[in-house]
Amino acid sequence: IDIQNQDNHFTGKIITWVFEYVPQNEKQTNRIFKRTTNLDLNEIGLIRSLLLSKHFKELPPDDSIVGWKKGLDGYSYHFEYSTRDCYTFKSYWSPISQGILKEAVLVQSIVDSVLKISSANKELKDFLKDVPFESYYTDGGSHAVLKVLTRKERRKYRRERKRFLRKEH
């Protein structure tokens, strides 16, 4: 979710993308499927209020919170805030896995609220139904999907990749 301010005019959008995964015996396409959905001013205002709240602004990143565990699975949330005079970046690995750690409860509450306000979960579900790739992964490869296909479907995707590669060259 990206919210920007240009001359006190706020815009916001949900940006979702996946990278095509191509079988090893085929040439890589480097294709990306991306969708951008605009947020309305009410959604933008509510999200900004949450992220600019005193409780969240004063919350340190997870590596500065005593007792916050790290891992390789689960979800990570990254929050970036910048003005002309200030820049902050906070990252939180899997707050839901941190038990009753008060900071984790706060982060998860804010994440849940932002996702609800923006309908991001519904957007993601709709987006994933429309992905035009046989197999794909998210940034960093943390989430991969391999569709189970019939031979006919597999040939269709292979032909599409070959057509794409011919256009590119």
Side-chain angles (χ1 to χ4, degrees):
I1 296 174
D2 182 29
I3 297 176
Q4 295 189 8
N5 174 10
Q6 292 190 327
D7 301 323
N8 279 334
H9 175 71
F10 291 93
T11 59
K13 55 192 167 191
I14 301 170
I15 306 167
T16 315
W17 69 93
V18 294
F19 302 91
E20 182 175 32
Y21 175 79
V22 176
Q24 284 184 327
N25 61 343
E26 291 186 39
K27 186 173 181 180
Q28 294 298 315
T29 62
N30 299 315
R31 291 192 294 177
I32 299 170
F33 178 64
K34 177 182 167 184
R35 181 174 294 159
T36 302
T37 305
N38 291 326
L39 297 171
D40 67 35
L41 288 176
N42 185 51
E43 293 167 327
I44 294 167
L46 291 170
I47 292 169
R48 283 188 72 246
S49 293
L50 280 170
L51 299 178
L52 294 174
S53 70
K54 177 182 176 194
H55 298 296
F56 187 70
K57 285 176 77 172
E58 292 176 356
L59 187 67
D62 66 3
D63 60 357
S64 298
I65 298 171
V66 175
W68 197 291
K69 297 177 283 239
K70 292 284 193 174
L72 300 174
D73 60 350
Y75 290 95
S76 290
Y77 300 102
H78 308 283
F79 299 89
E80 183 178 21
Y81 176 79
S82 66
T83 66
R84 288 187 187 118
D85 305 321
C86 143
Y87 176 80
T88 59
F89 179 83
K90 299 178 184 182
S91 183
Y92 301 95
W93 176 77
S94 205
I96 203 159
S97 300
Q98 305 301 325
I100 58 169
L101 197 61
K102 69 179 182 181
E103 295 90 346
V105 171
L106 175 61
V107 171
Q108 190 62 52
S109 171
I110 288 172
V111 166
D112 290 343
S113 295
V114 168
L115 294 175
K116 185 176 181 181
I117 290 166
S118 66
S119 302
N121 286 330
K122 181 188 178 317
E123 290 294 330
L124 178 60
K125 189 176 177 181
D126 292 345
F127 171 82
L128 292 175
K129 281 193 275 183
D130 295 338
V131 173
F133 304 144
E134 175 181 354
S135 302
Y136 55 90
Y137 61 96
T138 59
D139 189 27
S142 61
H143 181 88
V145 173
L146 306 167
K147 295 178 184 176
V148 178
L149 302 171
T150 64
R151 284 184 179 155
K152 183 179 180 180
E153 291 169 324
R154 180 154 295 147
R155 284 191 303 270
K156 179 187 124 199
Y157 280 112
R158 189 175 295 136
R159 281 191 307 272
E160 164 59 27
R161 285 191 294 271
K162 285 181 180 178
R163 231 184 340 270
F164 172 80
L165 289 168
R166 278 194 301 271
K167 285 182 192 177
E168 290 294 301
H169 292 79

